[in-house]
Amino acid sequence: MNIEQAAKQLEALGNVTRLQVYRTLVRAGEAGLPVGQIQERLGIPGSTLSHHLQRLLLTGLVTQERQATTLICRASFPAMNGLIGFLADECCADAGCASQAENAA
């Protein structure tokens, strides 16, 4: 992952509502949730949810799939893992840390 993509994803998650939407989808797992259920769980208007989902879609953190008349949203776990990996990849690279020593042992 490059730093620009990581910055865009972190910026998208930097909004309280988007972070709540994303965490709700992460909790739902691979099955995801219909948009209506996300709206019910979070108690936000449909237009607001649509706006926030669009930002998460644009950064690749969320995917959508239409099943008949239902729109299913899912957290993109590869994108999430990529972002987490990007943040942790260089942990203590210049100083060394207990985590690196424990992993080496």
Coordinates of all heavy atoms in Angstrom, one line a residue:
M1 N 0.9 -1.2 0.0 CA 0.0 0.0 0.0 C 0.9 1.2 0.0 O 1.9 1.3 0.7 CB -0.9 0.0 1.3 CG -1.7 1.3 1.4 SD -2.8 1.3 2.8 CE -4.0 0.1 2.2
N2 N 0.4 2.2 -0.7 CA 1.2 3.5 -0.7 C 0.7 4.5 0.3 O -0.5 4.3 0.7 CB 1.3 4.1 -2.2 CG 0.0 4.5 -2.7 OD1 -0.8 5.2 -2.0 ND2 -0.4 4.1 -3.9
I3 N 1.4 5.4 0.6 CA 1.1 6.4 1.6 C -0.2 7.2 1.3 O -1.0 7.6 2.2 CB 2.3 7.3 2.0 CG1 2.0 7.9 3.4 CG2 2.6 8.3 0.9 CD1 3.2 8.5 4.0
E4 N -0.4 7.5 0.0 CA -1.5 8.3 -0.4 C -2.8 7.5 -0.2 O -3.8 8.1 0.3 CB -1.4 8.7 -1.9 CG -0.4 9.7 -2.2 CD 1.0 9.1 -2.4 OE1 1.2 7.9 -2.5 OE2 2.0 9.9 -2.3
Q5 N -2.8 6.2 -0.5 CA -4.0 5.4 -0.3 C -4.3 5.2 1.2 O -5.4 5.3 1.6 CB -3.8 4.0 -0.9 CG -5.0 3.1 -0.7 CD -6.2 3.5 -1.4 OE1 -6.2 4.3 -2.4 NE2 -7.4 3.1 -1.0
A6 N -3.2 5.0 2.0 CA -3.4 4.9 3.4 C -4.0 6.2 4.0 O -4.9 6.2 4.8 CB -2.1 4.6 4.1
A7 N -3.5 7.4 3.5 CA -4.0 8.7 4.0 C -5.5 8.8 3.7 O -6.3 9.3 4.5 CB -3.2 9.8 3.4
K8 N -5.9 8.4 2.5 CA -7.3 8.5 2.1 C -8.2 7.6 2.9 O -9.3 8.0 3.3 CB -7.4 8.2 0.6 CG -6.9 9.2 -0.3 CD -7.0 8.8 -1.8 CE -6.4 9.8 -2.7 NZ -6.4 9.4 -4.1
Q9 N -7.7 6.4 3.2 CA -8.5 5.5 4.0 C -8.6 6.0 5.5 O -9.7 6.0 6.1 CB -7.9 4.1 4.0 CG -8.1 3.5 2.6 CD -7.5 2.1 2.6 OE1 -6.6 1.7 3.4 NE2 -8.0 1.3 1.6
L10 N -7.5 6.5 6.0 CA -7.5 7.1 7.4 C -8.4 8.3 7.5 O -9.1 8.5 8.4 CB -6.1 7.3 7.8 CG -5.2 6.1 8.1 CD1 -3.8 6.5 8.3 CD2 -5.8 5.3 9.3
E11 N -8.3 9.1 6.4 CA -9.2 10.3 6.4 C -10.7 9.9 6.4 O -11.5 10.5 7.1 CB -8.9 11.2 5.2 CG -9.7 12.4 5.1 CD -9.5 13.2 3.8 OE1 -8.8 12.8 2.9 OE2 -10.0 14.4 3.8
A12 N -11.0 8.9 5.6 CA -12.4 8.4 5.6 C -12.8 7.9 6.9 O -14.0 8.1 7.4 CB -12.6 7.3 4.5
L13 N -12.0 7.2 7.6 CA -12.3 6.7 8.9 C -12.2 7.7 10.0 O -12.6 7.4 11.2 CB -11.4 5.5 9.2 CG -11.5 4.3 8.4 CD1 -10.5 3.2 8.6 CD2 -12.9 3.7 8.5
G14 N -11.7 8.9 9.7 CA -11.6 10.0 10.7 C -12.9 10.7 11.0 O -12.9 11.6 11.9
N15 N -14.0 10.3 10.4 CA -15.3 10.8 10.7 C -16.0 9.9 11.6 O -16.0 8.7 11.4 CB -16.0 11.0 9.4 CG -17.5 11.5 9.6 OD1 -18.3 10.6 9.9 ND2 -17.7 12.8 9.5
V16 N -16.6 10.4 12.7 CA -17.3 9.5 13.7 C -18.3 8.6 13.0 O -18.4 7.4 13.3 CB -17.9 10.4 14.8 CG1 -18.7 9.5 15.7 CG2 -16.8 11.1 15.6
T17 N -19.2 9.2 12.2 CA -20.2 8.4 11.6 C -19.7 7.3 10.7 O -20.1 6.1 10.7 CB -21.2 9.3 10.8 OG1 -21.8 10.2 11.7 CG2 -22.4 8.4 10.2
R18 N -18.7 7.6 9.8 CA -18.1 6.7 8.9 C -17.4 5.6 9.7 O -17.5 4.4 9.4 CB -17.1 7.3 8.0 CG -17.9 8.0 6.8 CD -16.9 8.4 5.7 NE -16.0 9.4 6.0 CZ -16.3 10.7 5.9 NH1 -17.5 11.1 5.5 NH2 -15.5 11.6 6.3
L19 N -16.8 5.9 10.8 CA -16.1 4.9 11.6 C -17.1 4.0 12.3 O -16.9 2.8 12.3 CB -15.2 5.6 12.7 CG -14.4 4.7 13.6 CD1 -13.5 3.8 12.7 CD2 -13.6 5.5 14.6
Q20 N -18.3 4.5 12.7 CA -19.4 3.7 13.2 C -19.9 2.7 12.1 O -20.1 1.6 12.4 CB -20.5 4.5 13.8 CG -20.2 5.2 15.0 CD -21.3 6.2 15.5 OE1 -22.0 6.8 14.6 NE2 -21.4 6.3 16.8
V21 N -20.1 3.3 10.9 CA -20.6 2.4 9.8 C -19.6 1.3 9.5 O -19.9 0.1 9.4 CB -20.8 3.3 8.5 CG1 -21.0 2.4 7.3 CG2 -22.0 4.2 8.7
Y22 N -18.3 1.7 9.5 CA -17.3 0.7 9.2 C -17.2 -0.4 10.2 O -17.1 -1.6 9.9 CB -15.9 1.4 8.9 CG -14.9 0.5 8.4 CD1 -15.0 0.0 7.1 CD2 -13.8 0.0 9.2 CE1 -14.1 -0.9 6.6 CE2 -12.9 -0.8 8.6 CZ -13.0 -1.3 7.3 OH -12.1 -2.2 6.8
R23 N -17.2 0.0 11.5 CA -17.1 -1.0 12.6 C -18.3 -1.9 12.6 O -18.2 -3.1 12.9 CB -16.9 -0.2 13.9 CG -15.6 0.4 14.0 CD -15.3 0.9 15.4 NE -15.2 -0.3 16.3 CZ -15.2 -0.2 17.6 NH1 -15.2 1.0 18.2 NH2 -15.1 -1.3 18.3
T24 N -19.5 -1.3 12.2 CA -20.7 -2.1 12.1 C -20.5 -3.2 11.1 O -20.9 -4.4 11.3 CB -21.9 -1.2 11.8 OG1 -22.1 -0.3 12.9 CG2 -23.2 -2.1 11.7
L25 N -19.9 -2.8 9.9 CA -19.7 -3.8 8.8 C -18.6 -4.8 9.2 O -18.7 -6.0 8.8 CB -19.4 -3.1 7.6 CG -20.6 -2.3 7.0 CD1 -20.1 -1.4 5.8 CD2 -21.7 -3.2 6.6
V26 N -17.6 -4.4 9.9 CA -16.6 -5.3 10.3 C -17.2 -6.3 11.3 O -16.9 -7.5 11.2 CB -15.4 -4.6 11.0 CG1 -14.4 -5.5 11.7 CG2 -14.6 -3.7 9.9
R27 N -18.0 -5.9 12.2 CA -18.7 -6.8 13.1 C -19.6 -7.8 12.4 O -19.7 -8.9 12.8 CB -19.5 -6.0 14.1 CG -18.7 -5.3 15.2 CD -19.6 -4.5 16.1 NE -20.6 -5.4 16.8 CZ -20.4 -5.9 18.0 NH1 -19.3 -5.6 18.7 NH2 -21.3 -6.7 18.5
A28 N -20.2 -7.4 11.3 CA -21.1 -8.2 10.5 C -20.4 -9.4 9.8 O -21.0 -10.4 9.5 CB -21.9 -7.4 9.5
G29 N -19.1 -9.2 9.6 CA -18.3 -10.3 9.0 C -18.5 -10.3 7.4 O -19.0 -9.3 6.8
E30 N -18.1 -11.4 6.9 CA -18.2 -11.6 5.4 C -19.6 -11.5 4.8 O -19.7 -11.1 3.7 CB -17.6 -13.0 5.0 CG -16.1 -13.1 5.3 CD -15.2 -12.2 4.4 OE1 -15.7 -11.9 3.3 OE2 -14.1 -11.9 4.8
A31 N -20.6 -11.8 5.6 CA -22.0 -11.7 5.1 C -22.4 -10.3 4.8 O -23.2 -10.0 4.0 CB -22.9 -12.4 6.1
G32 N -21.8 -9.3 5.6 CA -22.2 -7.9 5.4 C -23.6 -7.7 5.9 O -24.2 -8.5 6.6
L33 N -24.1 -6.5 5.6 CA -25.4 -6.1 6.0 C -26.2 -5.3 4.9 O -25.5 -4.5 4.2 CB -25.4 -5.2 7.2 CG -24.9 -5.7 8.6 CD1 -24.7 -4.6 9.6 CD2 -26.0 -6.7 9.1
P34 N -27.5 -5.5 4.8 CA -28.2 -4.6 3.9 C -28.2 -3.2 4.4 O -28.1 -2.9 5.7 CB -29.7 -5.1 4.0 CG -29.5 -6.5 4.6 CD -28.3 -6.5 5.5
V35 N -28.3 -2.2 3.5 CA -28.2 -0.8 3.9 C -29.3 -0.5 4.9 O -29.0 0.2 5.9 CB -28.4 0.1 2.6 CG1 -28.6 1.5 3.0 CG2 -27.2 -0.1 1.7
G36 N -30.5 -1.0 4.8 CA -31.5 -0.7 5.8 C -31.2 -1.2 7.2 O -31.5 -0.5 8.1
Q37 N -30.5 -2.3 7.3 CA -30.1 -2.7 8.7 C -29.0 -1.8 9.3 O -29.0 -1.6 10.5 CB -29.6 -4.2 8.6 CG -30.8 -5.2 8.5 CD -30.3 -6.6 8.7 OE1 -29.2 -6.9 9.3 NE2 -31.0 -7.5 8.1
I38 N -28.1 -1.4 8.4 CA -27.1 -0.5 8.9 C -27.8 0.8 9.4 O -27.5 1.3 10.5 CB -26.1 -0.1 7.8 CG1 -25.4 -1.3 7.3 CG2 -25.1 0.9 8.3 CD1 -24.6 -1.1 6.0
Q39 N -28.7 1.3 8.6 CA -29.5 2.5 9.0 C -30.2 2.3 10.3 O -30.2 3.2 11.2 CB -30.4 2.9 7.9 CG -31.1 4.2 8.1 CD -32.1 4.5 7.0 OE1 -32.2 3.8 6.0 NE2 -32.9 5.5 7.1
E40 N -30.8 1.2 10.5 CA -31.6 0.9 11.7 C -30.6 0.8 12.9 O -30.9 1.4 14.0 CB -32.3 -0.4 11.6 CG -33.6 -0.3 10.7 CD -34.2 -1.7 10.6 OE1 -34.0 -2.6 11.4 OE2 -35.0 -1.8 9.6
R41 N -29.5 0.1 12.8 CA -28.6 -0.1 13.9 C -28.0 1.2 14.3 O -27.7 1.4 15.5 CB -27.5 -1.1 13.5 CG -28.0 -2.5 13.4 CD -26.8 -3.4 13.1 NE -27.4 -4.8 12.8 CZ -26.6 -5.9 12.8 NH1 -25.3 -5.8 13.0 NH2 -27.2 -7.0 12.6
L42 N -27.7 2.1 13.4 CA -27.0 3.4 13.7 C -28.0 4.5 14.0 O -27.6 5.6 14.5 CB -26.0 3.7 12.7 CG -24.9 2.7 12.5 CD1 -23.9 3.1 11.4 CD2 -24.1 2.5 13.8
G43 N -29.2 4.4 13.5 CA -30.2 5.4 13.7 C -29.9 6.7 12.9 O -30.0 7.8 13.5
I44 N -29.4 6.5 11.7 CA -29.1 7.7 10.9 C -30.0 7.8 9.7 O -30.4 6.7 9.2 CB -27.6 7.8 10.5 CG1 -27.2 6.6 9.7 CG2 -26.8 7.9 11.8 CD1 -25.7 6.6 9.3
P45 N -30.3 9.0 9.1 CA -31.1 9.1 7.9 C -30.4 8.4 6.7 O -29.2 8.3 6.6 CB -31.2 10.6 7.7 CG -30.8 11.2 9.0 CD -29.9 10.3 9.7
G46 N -31.3 7.9 5.8 CA -30.7 7.2 4.6 C -29.8 8.0 3.8 O -28.8 7.5 3.3
S47 N -30.1 9.3 3.6 CA -29.3 10.2 2.8 C -27.9 10.4 3.4 O -26.9 10.4 2.8 CB -29.9 11.5 2.5 OG -30.2 12.2 3.8
T48 N -27.9 10.5 4.8 CA -26.6 10.6 5.5 C -25.8 9.3 5.4 O -24.6 9.4 5.1 CB -26.9 10.9 7.0 OG1 -27.6 12.1 7.1 CG2 -25.6 11.0 7.8
L49 N -26.5 8.2 5.5 CA -25.8 6.9 5.4 C -25.2 6.8 4.0 O -24.1 6.3 3.8 CB -26.7 5.8 5.7 CG -26.1 4.4 5.6 CD1 -24.9 4.2 6.4 CD2 -27.2 3.3 5.9
S50 N -26.0 7.1 3.0 CA -25.5 7.0 1.6 C -24.3 7.8 1.4 O -23.3 7.4 0.7 CB -26.7 7.5 0.7 OG -26.3 7.4 -0.7
H51 N -24.3 9.0 1.9 CA -23.1 9.9 1.7 C -21.8 9.2 2.4 O -20.8 9.2 1.7 CB -23.4 11.2 2.4 CG -22.1 12.1 2.7 ND1 -21.5 12.8 1.7 CD2 -21.4 12.3 3.8 CE1 -20.4 13.4 2.2 NE2 -20.4 13.1 3.5
H52 N -22.0 8.7 3.6 CA -20.8 8.1 4.3 C -20.4 6.8 3.6 O -19.2 6.5 3.5 CB -21.2 8.0 5.7 CG -21.2 9.3 6.5 ND1 -20.2 10.1 6.6 CD2 -22.3 9.8 7.1 CE1 -20.5 11.2 7.3 NE2 -21.8 11.0 7.6
L53 N -21.3 6.0 3.2 CA -21.0 4.8 2.5 C -20.2 5.1 1.2 O -19.3 4.4 0.8 CB -22.2 4.0 2.1 CG -22.8 3.2 3.3 CD1 -24.2 2.6 2.9 CD2 -21.8 2.1 3.7
Q54 N -20.6 6.2 0.5 CA -19.9 6.5 -0.7 C -18.5 6.8 -0.5 O -17.6 6.4 -1.2 CB -20.6 7.7 -1.4 CG -20.0 8.1 -2.7 CD -20.2 7.0 -3.8 OE1 -21.1 6.2 -3.7 NE2 -19.3 6.9 -4.7
R55 N -18.2 7.5 0.6 CA -16.8 7.8 0.9 C -16.0 6.6 1.2 O -14.8 6.4 0.8 CB -16.7 8.8 2.2 CG -17.1 10.2 1.9 CD -16.1 11.0 1.1 NE -14.7 11.0 1.6 CZ -14.2 11.8 2.5 NH1 -15.0 12.8 3.0 NH2 -13.0 11.7 2.8
L56 N -16.6 5.6 1.9 CA -15.9 4.4 2.3 C -15.7 3.5 1.0 O -14.7 2.8 0.9 CB -16.7 3.6 3.3 CG -16.8 4.3 4.7 CD1 -17.8 3.6 5.6 CD2 -15.4 4.3 5.4
L57 N -16.7 3.6 0.1 CA -16.6 2.8 -1.2 C -15.4 3.4 -2.0 O -14.6 2.6 -2.6 CB -17.9 2.9 -2.0 CG -19.0 2.1 -1.5 CD1 -20.3 2.6 -2.1 CD2 -18.8 0.6 -1.9
L58 N -15.3 4.7 -2.1 CA -14.3 5.3 -2.9 C -12.9 5.0 -2.4 O -12.0 5.0 -3.2 CB -14.5 6.9 -2.9 CG -15.7 7.4 -3.7 CD1 -15.8 8.9 -3.5 CD2 -15.5 7.0 -5.2
T59 N -12.7 4.7 -1.1 CA -11.4 4.4 -0.6 C -11.1 2.9 -0.6 O -10.0 2.5 -0.3 CB -11.2 4.9 0.8 OG1 -12.2 4.3 1.7 CG2 -11.4 6.4 0.9
G60 N -12.1 2.1 -1.0 CA -11.9 0.7 -1.1 C -12.1 0.0 0.2 O -11.9 -1.3 0.3
L61 N -12.6 0.6 1.3 CA -12.8 0.0 2.6 C -14.1 -0.8 2.6 O -14.2 -1.7 3.5 CB -12.7 1.1 3.7 CG -11.4 1.7 4.0 CD1 -11.5 2.9 4.8 CD2 -10.4 0.6 4.6
V62 N -15.0 -0.5 1.8 CA -16.3 -1.1 1.7 C -16.6 -1.5 0.3 O -16.3 -0.8 -0.6 CB -17.4 -0.2 2.3 CG1 -18.8 -0.7 2.1 CG2 -17.2 0.1 3.8
T63 N -17.3 -2.6 0.2 CA -17.9 -3.1 -1.1 C -19.4 -3.2 -1.0 O -19.9 -3.3 0.1 CB -17.3 -4.4 -1.6 OG1 -17.7 -5.4 -0.6 CG2 -15.8 -4.4 -1.7
Q64 N -20.0 -3.1 -2.2 CA -21.5 -3.3 -2.2 C -21.9 -4.3 -3.3 O -21.2 -4.4 -4.3 CB -22.2 -1.9 -2.5 CG -22.2 -0.9 -1.4 CD -22.9 0.3 -1.7 OE1 -23.0 0.7 -2.9 NE2 -23.4 1.0 -0.7
E65 N -22.9 -5.0 -3.0 CA -23.5 -6.0 -4.0 C -25.0 -5.9 -3.9 O -25.6 -5.9 -2.9 CB -23.0 -7.4 -3.6 CG -23.6 -8.5 -4.4 CD -23.3 -9.9 -3.9 OE1 -22.6 -10.0 -2.9 OE2 -23.8 -10.8 -4.5
R66 N -25.6 -5.8 -5.1 CA -27.0 -5.8 -5.2 C -27.5 -7.2 -5.3 O -27.1 -8.0 -6.1 CB -27.5 -5.0 -6.4 CG -29.0 -4.9 -6.5 CD -29.5 -3.8 -7.3 NE -29.1 -2.4 -6.9 CZ -29.7 -1.7 -5.9 NH1 -30.7 -2.3 -5.2 NH2 -29.3 -0.5 -5.6
Q67 N -28.4 -7.5 -4.4 CA -29.1 -8.8 -4.4 C -30.6 -8.5 -4.6 O -31.3 -8.2 -3.6 CB -28.9 -9.6 -3.2 CG -27.4 -10.0 -3.0 CD -27.2 -10.8 -1.7 OE1 -28.0 -11.0 -0.9 NE2 -25.9 -11.3 -1.6
A68 N -31.1 -8.7 -5.8 CA -32.5 -8.3 -6.2 C -32.7 -6.8 -5.8 O -32.0 -6.0 -6.4 CB -33.5 -9.2 -5.5
T69 N -33.5 -6.5 -4.9 CA -33.8 -5.1 -4.5 C -33.0 -4.6 -3.3 O -33.1 -3.5 -2.8 CB -35.3 -4.8 -4.3 OG1 -35.7 -5.7 -3.2 CG2 -36.1 -5.1 -5.5
T70 N -32.1 -5.5 -2.8 CA -31.4 -5.2 -1.6 C -29.9 -4.9 -1.9 O -29.3 -5.6 -2.7 CB -31.5 -6.4 -0.6 OG1 -32.9 -6.7 -0.3 CG2 -30.8 -6.1 0.7
L71 N -29.4 -3.9 -1.3 CA -28.0 -3.5 -1.4 C -27.3 -4.0 -0.2 O -27.5 -3.5 0.9 CB -27.9 -2.0 -1.6 CG -26.5 -1.5 -2.1 CD1 -26.1 -2.1 -3.4 CD2 -26.6 0.0 -2.2
I72 N -26.3 -4.9 -0.4 CA -25.6 -5.5 0.7 C -24.2 -4.8 0.8 O -23.5 -4.7 -0.3 CB -25.3 -7.0 0.5 CG1 -26.7 -7.7 0.3 CG2 -24.5 -7.6 1.7 CD1 -27.6 -7.7 1.5
C73 N -23.8 -4.3 1.9 CA -22.6 -3.7 2.1 C -21.7 -4.6 3.0 O -22.1 -5.2 3.9 CB -22.7 -2.3 2.9 SG -23.7 -1.1 2.0
R74 N -20.4 -4.6 2.6 CA -19.4 -5.4 3.3 C -18.1 -4.6 3.5 O -17.7 -3.9 2.7 CB -19.1 -6.7 2.5 CG -20.2 -7.6 2.3 CD -19.7 -8.9 1.5 NE -20.9 -9.8 1.3 CZ -21.7 -9.7 0.3 NH1 -21.5 -8.8 -0.7 NH2 -22.7 -10.6 0.2
A75 N -17.5 -4.9 4.7 CA -16.2 -4.4 4.9 C -15.2 -5.1 4.0 O -15.4 -6.4 3.9 CB -15.8 -4.5 6.4
S76 N -14.3 -4.5 3.4 CA -13.3 -5.1 2.6 C -12.1 -5.5 3.5 O -11.3 -4.7 3.9 CB -12.8 -4.2 1.5 OG -11.7 -4.8 0.8
F77 N -12.1 -6.8 3.9 CA -11.1 -7.2 4.9 C -9.7 -7.2 4.3 O -8.8 -6.8 5.0 CB -11.5 -8.6 5.4 CG -12.7 -8.5 6.3 CD1 -13.9 -8.9 5.9 CD2 -12.6 -8.0 7.6 CE1 -15.1 -8.8 6.7 CE2 -13.8 -7.9 8.4 CZ -15.0 -8.3 7.9
P78 N -9.5 -7.4 3.0 CA -8.1 -7.3 2.5 C -7.7 -5.8 2.6 O -6.5 -5.5 2.9 CB -8.3 -7.7 1.0 CG -9.4 -8.7 1.0 CD -10.4 -8.1 2.0
A79 N -8.6 -4.8 2.4 CA -8.2 -3.4 2.5 C -7.9 -3.1 3.9 O -7.0 -2.4 4.2 CB -9.3 -2.5 1.9
M80 N -8.8 -3.6 4.8 CA -8.5 -3.3 6.3 C -7.2 -3.9 6.7 O -6.4 -3.2 7.4 CB -9.7 -3.9 7.1 CG -9.5 -3.7 8.6 SD -10.7 -4.5 9.6 CE -10.2 -6.2 9.5
N81 N -6.9 -5.1 6.3 CA -5.7 -5.7 6.7 C -4.5 -5.0 6.1 O -3.4 -4.9 6.7 CB -5.7 -7.2 6.4 CG -6.6 -8.0 7.2 OD1 -6.9 -7.6 8.4 ND2 -7.2 -9.1 6.7
G82 N -4.6 -4.5 4.9 CA -3.6 -3.8 4.2 C -3.3 -2.5 5.0 O -2.1 -2.1 5.1
L83 N -4.3 -1.8 5.4 CA -4.1 -0.6 6.2 C -3.5 -0.8 7.5 O -2.5 -0.2 7.9 CB -5.5 0.2 6.4 CG -5.4 1.5 7.1 CD1 -4.5 2.5 6.4 CD2 -6.8 2.1 7.2
I84 N -3.9 -1.9 8.2 CA -3.3 -2.2 9.5 C -1.9 -2.6 9.3 O -1.0 -2.2 10.0 CB -4.1 -3.4 10.2 CG1 -5.5 -2.8 10.6 CG2 -3.4 -3.9 11.4 CD1 -6.5 -3.9 11.0
G85 N -1.6 -3.4 8.3 CA -0.2 -3.8 8.0 C 0.7 -2.6 7.6 O 1.8 -2.5 8.1
F86 N 0.1 -1.6 6.9 CA 0.9 -0.4 6.5 C 1.2 0.3 7.8 O 2.4 0.8 7.9 CB 0.0 0.5 5.6 CG 0.7 1.8 5.3 CD1 1.6 1.8 4.3 CD2 0.4 2.9 6.0 CE1 2.3 3.1 4.0 CE2 1.0 4.1 5.7 CZ 1.9 4.2 4.7
L87 N 0.3 0.4 8.7 CA 0.6 1.2 10.0 C 1.6 0.4 10.8 O 2.4 1.1 11.5 CB -0.7 1.4 10.7 CG -1.7 2.3 10.1 CD1 -3.1 2.2 10.9 CD2 -1.2 3.7 10.0
A88 N 1.6 -0.9 10.8 CA 2.5 -1.6 11.7 C 3.8 -2.1 11.1 O 4.7 -2.5 11.8 CB 1.8 -2.9 12.2
D89 N 3.9 -2.0 9.7 CA 5.1 -2.6 9.0 C 6.4 -2.1 9.5 O 7.4 -2.8 9.6 CB 5.0 -2.2 7.5 CG 4.2 -3.3 6.8 OD1 3.9 -4.3 7.3 OD2 3.9 -3.0 5.6
E90 N 6.5 -0.8 9.9 CA 7.8 -0.3 10.2 C 7.9 0.0 11.7 O 8.7 0.8 12.1 CB 8.1 0.9 9.4 CG 8.3 0.5 7.9 CD 8.7 1.7 7.0 OE1 9.3 2.7 7.6 OE2 8.4 1.6 5.8
C91 N 7.1 -0.7 12.5 CA 7.1 -0.4 13.9 C 8.6 -0.6 14.5 O 9.2 -1.7 14.3 CB 6.2 -1.4 14.6 SG 6.3 -1.4 16.4
C92 N 9.0 0.4 15.1 CA 10.4 0.4 15.7 C 11.5 0.1 14.8 O 12.6 -0.4 15.2 CB 10.3 -0.5 16.9 SG 9.0 -0.2 18.1
A93 N 11.3 0.3 13.5 CA 12.4 0.0 12.5 C 13.7 0.7 12.8 O 14.7 0.2 12.6 CB 11.9 0.3 11.1
D94 N 13.6 1.9 13.3 CA 14.8 2.7 13.6 C 15.3 2.5 15.0 O 16.5 2.8 15.3 CB 14.6 4.2 13.3 CG 14.3 4.4 11.8 OD1 14.7 3.6 11.0 OD2 13.7 5.5 11.5
A95 N 14.5 2.0 15.9 CA 14.9 1.9 17.3 C 14.9 0.5 17.9 O 15.5 0.3 18.9 CB 14.0 2.8 18.1
G96 N 14.2 -0.4 17.3 CA 14.0 -1.7 17.9 C 13.0 -1.6 19.0 O 12.8 -0.6 19.6
C97 N 12.3 -2.7 19.2 CA 11.3 -2.6 20.3 C 11.1 -4.0 20.9 O 11.5 -5.0 20.3 CB 10.0 -2.0 19.9 SG 9.1 -3.0 18.6
A98 N 10.4 -4.1 22.0 CA 10.2 -5.4 22.6 C 9.4 -6.4 21.7 O 9.7 -7.5 21.7 CB 9.4 -5.2 23.9
S99 N 8.5 -5.8 20.9 CA 7.7 -6.7 20.0 C 8.6 -7.4 19.0 O 8.4 -8.6 18.7 CB 6.7 -5.9 19.2 OG 5.7 -5.4 20.1
Q100 N 9.6 -6.7 18.4 CA 10.5 -7.3 17.5 C 11.3 -8.4 18.2 O 11.6 -9.4 17.6 CB 11.4 -6.2 16.8 CG 10.7 -5.4 15.8 CD 11.6 -4.4 15.2 OE1 12.5 -3.8 15.8 NE2 11.5 -4.2 13.9
A101 N 11.8 -8.1 19.3 CA 12.6 -9.1 20.1 C 11.8 -10.3 20.4 O 12.3 -11.4 20.3 CB 13.2 -8.4 21.3
E102 N 10.6 -10.1 20.8 CA 9.7 -11.3 21.1 C 9.4 -12.1 19.9 O 9.4 -13.3 19.9 CB 8.4 -10.8 21.8 CG 8.6 -10.2 23.1 CD 7.4 -9.6 23.7 OE1 6.3 -9.7 23.0 OE2 7.4 -8.9 24.7
N103 N 9.2 -11.4 18.7 CA 8.9 -12.2 17.5 C 10.1 -12.9 17.0 O 10.0 -14.0 16.4 CB 8.4 -11.2 16.4 CG 7.0 -10.7 16.7 OD1 6.3 -11.3 17.4 ND2 6.7 -9.6 16.1
A104 N 11.3 -12.4 17.2 CA 12.5 -13.1 16.8 C 12.8 -14.3 17.6 O 13.4 -15.3 17.2 CB 13.7 -12.1 16.9
A105 N 12.4 -14.4 18.9 CA 12.6 -15.5 19.8 C 11.8 -16.6 19.5 O 11.4 -17.2 18.8 CB 12.4 -15.0 21.2

